[in-house]
Amino acid sequence: MSTRITIDPITRIEGHLRIDVEVDQGKVTKAWSSGQMWRGIELILQGRDPRDAWAITQRICGVCTTVHAMTSVRAVENALKLPVPKNAQYIRNIIMAAHAVHDHIVHFYHLAALDWVDIVSALSGDAAGAATLAESLSDYQGNSRVAMQAAKDRLTTFVQTGQLGIYASGYWGHPAMTLPAEANLMAAAHYLQALEVQRKANKIVAILGSKTPHIQNLTVGGVTNSINMDSQSTLTLEKLWAIRTLIDELGDFVHNAMMSDVAAVGALYAPWTAIGAGVMNYLCVPDMPLNEEGTEFALPGGWIPGGDLGAFRQIPSFNDPFFRDGVKESVAHSWYDYAGSDKALHPFDGQTNPNYTDFQDEGKYSWIKAPTFMGERAQVGPLANVLGMAAAGHEPTNRHLTKLLAQASAVAGTEIPLAAVHSTIGRIAARAVRCAVLHETLLAQWTLLMENIGSGDTRTFNRPEFPKEEIRGVGFHEAPRGTLSHWVVIEGGKIKNYQCVVPSTFNAGPRDDQGRPGPYEASLMDTPVADPELPLEVLRTVHSFDPCISCAIHMTDPENRPIVQVKAF
Ligand code: NFE
Ligand code: MG
């Protein structure tokens, strides 16, 4: 007999996500992913000045704080065929890389790790043992016995207060939590240290963007950071060197602590490399443009159908017709109607007409649309990105991926092949690899900016001019959760249509018009569930995608209905 489990809301994510699964003989046999909030950003944009869209779309989310702003200016620049000065590209690139490093650190340590790391068990871990383990994995400076004891004391004091706050409802002691106490203590110590480290990445965003979340320095055609080495009120050498110091401080944690924690946790949970593959068509886009036209990039991207790296097709530029023509969105199982027909629509012709029906297992059950690429369901995110960059022969990606797999194999005592990354653990591992790659990118983009300013180029802005006739543009960005695109139709200098196709829309989307499940749903199939009352295993796979539902729907329930009261962590 099958059991139905409804988890609503899923916590340690952004937004309101409901996951339903049917479990038969201890395994998931059916799954539904449902976005439970509606906003309306795409509709708010209609009729507005395209130069304002970035500031409005950025309010889609406060987690991926910069990404909608970046993607929006790119969409409008693409419609205008407006080049972007190199300084502006580099400044944007530094912000994007710093934001992603912050986001990936927070995801692993603060959002996902507590599905794998038992904080209660950490309290009984021996500090010297935890330090020995940590030092065997890396020479990160926060690995000492003193550091481990400090973390243990801090956690113990916290527990003695009796006010466990966010830790009160954790699945501590769950049979699927199998790390030794010293491994739990090591990870818990790095969890606490990561709270400080992630701030350093975010400071870089704030220095260049004037504020975070929600940067203030973008404009269609460039950035508003004036460069003048003789003026204290502009982007000065002092600020640039402050950024360099922060980049250097981040490196030790990212390349040593995070990479080896993920390798060790992954190796100790090796059975999870065979769980959670789901949709194996992977999409990622190139990013970190190096020239004014957006035809050269530091990081490659493309399409991998069926998980076959040999079939990789590169997306070379912002103007690539393959990407531009490849995206559609279906609403067959989403709470929207399309006027005229229920066929999937290309985003330039996209519609946002809400039609709420309640949760219908076989009908409409989510506020999230169901995007496809080349007619297929597609998984996006760090795993897709790392596989795409590896397939494109990107040296830093291959180096960090090889390093992580080698370390995981050493801990596991058996060779872990590349194919193991098509899994729940693989998505987490790929995020660490991407974080390491992006840290290098951050340094490289900082160097490019310094050299370019040093060459005498201080340009940061090209003025946009809007024609009367209709123009269309797409902007894309490889955001922390995957491929993000904004699609804008402009007429007479005003926005006629605006559609956002977002990473979590790709991954959290419901069934499409052909009844095919989305990546969350597909990845949950066959997941073992030891105790339906404590569905930790389901959370592991869902959290591995790093869900963001405000992004996925970018649309709020006007009546503010309470959804359900739960005690999940
Ligand atoms: Ni709100 Fe986002 C990212 C975007 S959603 S977090 O990264 O775009 O997937
Ligand atoms: Mg949308």
Side-chain angles (χ1 to χ4, degrees):
M1 204 193 73
S2 68
T3 312
R4 171 88 169 229
I5 308 173
T6 300
I7 313 177
D8 180 15
I10 298 269
T11 57
R12 275 188 277 124
I13 64 162
E14 210 295 328
H16 305 295
L17 173 67
R18 165 177 163 175
I19 294 287
D20 285 47
V21 290
E22 274 179 19
V23 175
D24 201 3
Q25 301 188 352
K27 284 198 168 174
V28 173
T29 53
K30 222 168 173 188
W32 294 262
S33 163
S34 169
Q36 293 278 307
M37 60 197 285
W38 195 79
R39 299 173 76 211
I41 305 278
E42 287 163 338
L43 300 178
I44 290 171
L45 288 162
Q46 290 174 3
R48 292 187 186 258
D49 189 320
R51 292 171 298 181
D52 293 341
W54 69 270
I56 299 171
T57 58
Q58 188 170 213
R59 269 66 191 175
I60 285 174
C61 187
V63 172
C64 54
T65 63
T66 64
V67 308
H68 295 286
M70 295 285 180
T71 310
S72 179
V73 290
R74 285 179 173 178
V76 179
E77 288 156 2
N78 183 259
L80 295 170
K81 301 187 172 59
L82 183 66
V84 175
K86 278 188 178 175
N87 287 322
Q89 299 284 37
Y90 302 146
I91 289 172
R92 291 180 185 181
N93 292 347
I94 294 170
I95 292 178
M96 287 184 289
H99 167 253
V101 167
H102 146 82
D103 190 285
H104 291 340
I105 293 172
V106 169
H107 177 264
F108 176 64
Y109 287 97
H110 308 125
L111 302 178
L114 301 181
D115 293 339
W116 310 90
V117 172
D118 189 327
I119 295 284
V120 173
S121 157
L123 294 174
S124 60
D126 170 54
T132 304
L133 171 65
E135 286 169 348
S136 76
L137 293 168
S138 81
D139 52 10
Y140 168 57
Q141 61 169 356
N143 279 341
S144 67
R145 184 189 59 77
V146 175
M148 296 296 141
Q149 187 65 46
K152 189 173 167 177
D153 292 346
R154 199 166 154 194
L155 285 171
T156 306
T157 308
F158 182 70
V159 168
Q160 284 168 349
T161 65
Q163 294 181 330
L164 294 182
I166 58 165
Y167 306 111
S169 304
Y171 290 154
W172 319 129
H174 190 286
M177 291 274 202
T178 54
L179 291 187
E182 280 69 35
N184 284 318
L185 178 56
M186 172 188 81
H190 293 166
Y191 168 107
L192 294 171
Q193 293 163 354
L195 289 167
E196 297 299 322
V197 174
Q198 55 87 25
R199 244 169 12 110
K200 295 182 196 282
N202 234 346
K203 273 190 183 170
I204 297 172
V205 177
I207 291 172
L208 290 172
S210 296
K211 141 178 196 301
T212 184
H214 301 141
I215 53 173
Q216 301 292 304
N217 69 317
L218 291 195
T219 184
V220 170
V223 294
T224 57
N225 308 76
S226 311
I227 299 174
N228 178 350
M229 290 301 142
D230 298 325
S231 164
Q232 280 300 312
S233 55
T234 63
L235 187 57
T236 57
L237 270 183
E238 195 183 5
K239 286 182 192 154
L240 287 163
W241 279 101
I243 290 170
R244 174 58 192 263
T245 305
L246 290 164
I247 295 173
D248 292 345
E249 289 173 358
L250 282 166
D252 186 25
F253 190 85
V254 169
H255 295 289
N256 296 317
M258 181 162 169
M259 282 281 280
S260 55
D261 285 349
V262 169
V265 170
L268 295 169
Y269 282 108
W272 280 84
T273 59
I275 297 170
V279 173
M280 286 171 60
N281 304 310
Y282 296 104
L283 174 67
C284 63
V285 286
D287 217 317
M288 309 298 164
L290 298 170
N291 63 356
E292 305 204 357
E293 294 74 29
T295 54
E296 280 173 37
F297 296 85
L299 304 179
W303 169 238
I304 303 175
D308 176 8
L309 270 59
F312 173 70
R313 178 164 170 180
Q314 193 147 353
I315 295 171
S317 94
F318 281 142
N319 300 312
D320 183 30
F322 174 61
F323 181 82
R324 199 181 175 99
D325 297 339
V327 179
K328 282 194 177 162
E329 289 188 302
S330 155
V331 293
H333 292 270
S334 312
W335 288 315
Y336 304 93
D337 281 332
Y338 282 161
S341 132
D342 58 358
K343 283 224 165 61
L345 291 177
H346 186 276
F348 282 141
D349 306 316
Q351 300 174 20
T352 308
N353 312 318
N355 171 25
Y356 182 70
T357 64
D358 213 343
F359 194 106
Q360 302 168 331
D361 281 8
E362 304 302 325
K364 292 180 179 283
Y365 60 89
S366 179
W367 284 115
I368 306 177
K369 292 179 180 176
T372 55
F373 189 72
M374 300 302 290
E376 304 287 340
R377 300 312 296 262
Q379 182 181 156
V380 301
L383 176 56
N385 187 212
V386 163
L387 289 172
M389 293 196 290
H394 186 244
E395 186 277 330
T397 303
N398 281 316
R399 175 163 35 87
H400 290 295
L401 183 57
T402 304
K403 178 181 161 190
L404 188 134
L405 285 171
Q407 185 159 41
S409 301
V411 174
T414 175
E415 167 116 13
I416 297 180
L418 176 62
V421 300
H422 303 288
S423 63
T424 293
I425 278 290
R427 274 184 287 276
I428 294 173
R431 197 172 283 107
V433 170
R434 182 170 193 265
C435 193
V437 170
L438 283 170
H439 181 263
E440 286 191 19
T441 303
L442 189 51
L443 183 54
Q445 295 295 317
W446 180 88
T447 308
L448 285 169
L449 176 62
M450 292 292 278
E451 287 172 359
N452 197 53
I453 296 172
S455 77
D457 180 3
T458 54
R459 292 176 310 118
T460 54
F461 172 64
N462 291 326
R463 185 173 298 282
E465 305 272 354
F466 290 87
K468 284 213 168 52
E469 66 271 18
E470 183 186 292
I471 50 172
R472 298 172 164 213
V474 56
F476 59 65
H477 166 41
E478 188 64 19
R481 285 154 201 77
T483 297
L484 168 65
S485 54
H486 286 198
W487 307 74
V488 65
V489 180
I490 303 168
E491 195 177 56
K494 296 270 184 267
I495 295 172
K496 198 165 150 194
N497 196 7
Y498 201 104
Q499 293 285 324
C500 311
V501 184
V502 182
S504 293
T505 317
F506 268 105
N507 287 340
R511 289 161 182 70
D512 67 1
D513 51 6
Q514 295 179 44
R516 294 173 302 187
Y520 288 11
E521 297 174 333
S523 68
L524 285 166
M525 297 302 287
D526 298 322
T527 296
V529 178
D531 180 352
E533 299 284 324
L534 304 168
L536 174 63
E537 300 91 338
V538 172
L539 295 180
R540 283 180 173 174
T541 292
V542 172
H543 282 150
S544 71
F545 287 94
D546 193 4
C548 177
I549 305 308
S550 29
C551 273
I553 302 168
H554 39 271
M555 299 262 152
T556 282
D557 186 333
E559 288 155 24
N560 284 328
R561 290 174 309 141
I563 297 169
V564 75
Q565 290 196 328
V566 292
K567 269 193 170 171
F569 173 55

